[in-house]
Amino acid sequence: MLDPSYIKIQDFSFWYGAKKALHGINMDIPESQITALIGPSGCGKSTLLRNMNRMNDLIDGVRHEGDITLDGTSLYDPTVEVISLRKRVGMVFQKYNPFAKTIYENVVFSLRVAGRNSKKELDETVERSLKGAALWDEVKDRLHESAFSLSGGQMQRLCIARAIANRPQILLMDEPCAALDPIATLKIEELMLKLKEEFTIVIVTHNMQQAMRCSDKTAFFYLGKLIEFNDTKSIFETPKEAQTEEYISGRFS
């Protein structure tokens, strides 16, 4: 059993060049729960999310202070290999982004890159991942069709299947429903509740109703600072900070 707070964010600050985007963030993210990051645009929530799998390393001129640890190991430890880290920490983006390949090849892409080409393993991974993403029944007879033949909601669930194919410990989701209609959004929300049985999920969302419906913990960010972090019910019903109450009641956005 892992430490129940096994993603630890400790005095973490982050800069894009001269611009300071995060200010001394401290959070313990629990295992096998959904943690929602909420706040107005530009408040730092997606920046923090992308640091959890070092996606921000791809940007020139960034730097950080403090630390993020996963299961006791710093993500910035010199011995941590970034590609291996991203196998442990999967990511789903705001805009569904399937590859220009078949449904089957989208799911097994990371296995192929790693040189794992056993048909038996690939077939099993495709079925397990598509079932995990609640997509198998809809596409099992279309696996060798283009991923672009799917609807938007199906493409996002395919991206989730691709993200969980390597069985990561953590699933990061950056506004995964932003480009979807209400019915597709509901399917993704139902899926997240099932996936937390197997994965620790951190989601950035502008949809406060979504945070209320889906998350166990909610963190409210404003101007790069963590204003409040608590159980979701407490955040939305009895917030401790005036800024939190103003935001969730719609007095500022």
Side-chain angles (χ1 to χ4, degrees):
M1 181 70 177
L2 294 172
D3 179 338
S5 301
Y6 79 116
I7 306 174
K8 292 180 181 288
I9 301 166
Q10 301 163 310
D11 296 321
F12 191 79
S13 297
F14 188 82
W15 287 261
Y16 294 106
K19 176 179 168 51
K20 191 171 186 179
L22 293 171
H23 300 257
I25 307 300
N26 286 283
M27 293 174 67
D28 286 356
I29 296 176
E31 179 188 10
S32 299
Q33 293 189 21
I34 299 173
T35 298
L37 312 183
I38 65 170
S41 295
C43 68
K45 53 193 187 296
S46 289
T47 293
L48 181 62
L49 192 79
R50 287 165 178 263
N51 274 294
M52 291 183 200
N53 71 347
R54 292 183 52 183
M55 190 71 70
N56 282 331
D57 287 14
L58 302 171
I59 301 169
D60 289 337
V62 298
R63 66 184 180 92
H64 77 278
E65 291 178 358
D67 204 4
I68 300 174
T69 62
L70 170 56
D71 197 16
T73 300
S74 171
L75 302 191
Y76 296 94
D77 188 301
T79 65
V80 170
E81 207 277 317
V82 174
I83 293 173
S84 297
L85 170 66
R86 291 180 187 147
K87 290 178 182 175
R88 298 174 68 195
V89 187
M91 188 146 189
V92 177
F93 296 93
Q94 178 181 116
K95 177 66 176 166
Y96 40 83
N97 59 341
F99 301 140
K101 297 175 179 290
T102 64
I103 294 166
Y104 184 101
E105 289 299 330
N106 264 270
V107 178
V108 301
F109 180 79
S110 60
L111 279 73
R112 295 247 195 238
V113 168
R116 292 157 61 187
N117 291 305
S118 157
K119 186 174 187 306
K120 183 174 185 290
E121 182 186 13
L122 298 182
D123 288 349
E124 288 173 352
T125 298
V126 167
E127 183 170 350
R128 170 179 51 78
S129 302
L130 289 172
K131 283 181 174 176
L135 190 58
W136 174 253
D137 288 341
E138 296 169 46
V139 303
K140 62 185 177 184
D141 298 321
R142 303 168 54 191
L143 296 177
H144 300 291
E145 292 181 18
S146 168
F148 297 136
S149 68
L150 301 175
S151 69
Q154 288 174 323
M155 280 196 255
Q156 188 64 303
R157 280 182 284 147
L158 176 62
C159 292
I160 292 171
R162 188 175 68 198
I164 65 176
N166 259 323
R167 291 186 167 165
Q169 290 170 260
I170 297 158
L171 192 57
L172 308 178
M173 308 182 86
D174 193 356
E175 295 195 63
C177 302
L180 304 180
D181 62 50
I183 293 173
T185 294
L186 183 60
K187 286 187 176 181
I188 298 289
E189 289 178 1
E190 290 172 346
L191 174 58
M192 284 192 288
L193 293 173
K194 291 178 183 173
L195 287 172
K196 77 171 182 177
E197 297 171 10
E198 188 175 352
F199 307 100
T200 296
I201 297 175
V202 186
I203 177 173
V204 165
T205 180
H206 274 107
N207 185 330
M208 284 183 284
Q209 288 72 32
Q210 183 171 81
M212 290 172 66
R213 286 191 296 262
C214 296
S215 67
D216 302 285
K217 298 271 191 183
T218 295
F220 170 58
F221 288 80
Y222 187 62
L223 297 178
K225 297 178 181 177
L226 175 60
I227 305 300
E228 190 167 351
F229 180 45
N230 208 337
D231 294 337
T232 294
K233 183 178 173 66
S234 298
I235 288 284
F236 284 98
E237 294 184 6
T238 54
K240 294 177 180 175
E241 302 296 330
Q243 280 179 306
T244 310
E245 187 189 1
E246 288 173 3
Y247 181 72
I248 64 177
S249 63
R251 285 195 285 258
F252 79 87
S253 58

